[in-house]
Amino acid sequence: SLINFWIYGFSSICLLILINPFIGLFFGNEYILSMSIVFILVLNFYIIGMRKSNLTFNDALGLYWYDRYKPIAESILKILISFLLVKKYQVFGILLGTTISTISTCFWIEPYILYKYGLKISIKRYYSKYFLYSIVLILAGGLTWLISNLFNGDVLVSLVLKLLTCIITPNIVFVVFFIKSEEVVHLYNIFRNIVYRKYHTSTEKGELLND
């Protein structure tokens, strides 16, 4: 979950800040999207991306039967909500329909099935982690946004500086919050064990060749 958050949180911040400068530079300012459209696009990207870890385990454990009605409910909600909102909000309404239908179904059904029928443990920790990740993402995104808004000169130079800001700032914030977490410690131990095994395997092979 932490790796999943790091990838999609970082990518979401980059998209939110860089997509319009990129469009303006390469296609012209007339194609720049409104920030409401950009925000809802990035929100959908993040929500869908954060489902990946749950879906991976659900697929591996073969828990298809328990969420067999989820795609039907999600599709019906998406069509109905988008139809109701499109007249007033146009494209934003369609994208918002995707957000609402996903939160109403996939957002809670997939982890519920995984934790109840697969892992068979309480789901409370999942939601507490999800809440923590969301807070950290908002802090990292807000700080990156404030810093990137300082660069408003030449279009190309501004894009490069904003890109560097997006690469550096969110990752620093993530490191500050998670460097001592049990997930990072666990990943470090896995990496250390892999390196240790490879080193000793290569050493043993070298000794055999010398013999």
Side-chain angles (χ1 to χ4, degrees):
S1 293
L2 178 61
I3 294 173
N4 199 54
F5 161 75
W6 205 302
I7 293 171
Y8 282 96
F10 168 72
S11 301
S12 296
I13 292 172
C14 290
L15 286 171
L16 182 67
I17 293 173
L18 298 176
I19 190 169
N20 267 340
F22 179 85
I23 291 173
L25 178 63
F26 290 98
F27 301 101
N29 291 333
E30 64 271 22
Y31 293 103
I32 286 179
L33 304 171
S34 68
M35 281 310 301
S36 60
I37 296 293
V38 173
F39 177 79
I40 200 69
L41 280 171
V42 172
L43 180 61
N44 286 337
F45 171 80
Y46 176 75
I47 294 174
I48 293 172
M50 287 295 287
R51 294 166 49 197
K52 299 296 184 182
S53 57
N54 290 329
L55 289 174
T56 299
F57 277 88
N58 283 346
D59 291 344
L61 294 171
L63 302 176
Y64 310 107
W65 177 258
Y66 299 104
D67 68 347
R68 60 192 182 278
Y69 300 119
K70 180 200 67 180
I72 299 173
E74 181 188 9
S75 300
I76 292 173
L77 280 173
K78 184 182 295 185
I79 292 170
L80 289 176
I81 296 171
S82 298
F83 179 77
L84 292 173
L85 296 177
V86 68
K87 293 182 179 180
K88 185 174 182 179
Y89 300 106
Q90 290 80 46
V91 176
F92 180 82
I94 296 174
L95 297 172
L96 183 59
T98 300
T99 308
I100 296 173
S101 63
T102 302
I103 293 176
S104 301
T105 54
C106 306
F107 176 78
W108 67 269
I109 291 176
E110 290 163 356
Y112 173 79
I113 290 171
L114 173 61
Y115 280 76
K116 181 176 177 61
Y117 299 105
L119 303 178
K120 297 181 180 179
I121 57 177
S122 174
I123 198 173
K124 291 180 180 179
R125 189 177 183 190
Y126 168 79
Y127 284 117
S128 65
K129 288 286 185 180
Y130 200 103
F131 178 75
L132 173 63
Y133 294 155
S134 300
I135 295 299
V136 173
L137 179 67
I138 291 170
L139 291 174
L143 181 60
T144 308
W145 178 271
L146 290 174
I147 296 174
S148 65
N149 281 341
L150 299 174
F151 311 121
N152 294 312
D154 180 79
V155 178
L156 180 58
V157 174
S158 175
L159 179 61
V160 172
L161 292 174
K162 288 181 178 182
L163 174 60
L164 292 174
T165 303
C166 288
I167 292 173
I168 296 170
T169 307
N171 287 303
I172 290 176
V173 175
F174 294 166
V175 167
V176 169
F177 274 91
F178 298 115
I179 189 63
K180 294 184 179 181
S181 67
E182 60 180 307
E183 293 92 342
V184 170
V185 172
H186 179 66
L187 290 170
Y188 170 76
N189 289 333
I190 291 175
F191 176 76
R192 185 182 62 180
N193 290 335
I194 291 172
V195 172
Y196 178 82
R197 285 198 301 268
K198 286 186 176 181
Y199 172 77
H200 280 271
T201 301
S202 61
T203 302
E204 290 173 0
K205 288 181 178 178
E207 290 175 352
L208 289 173
L209 289 173
N210 291 332
D211 293 339

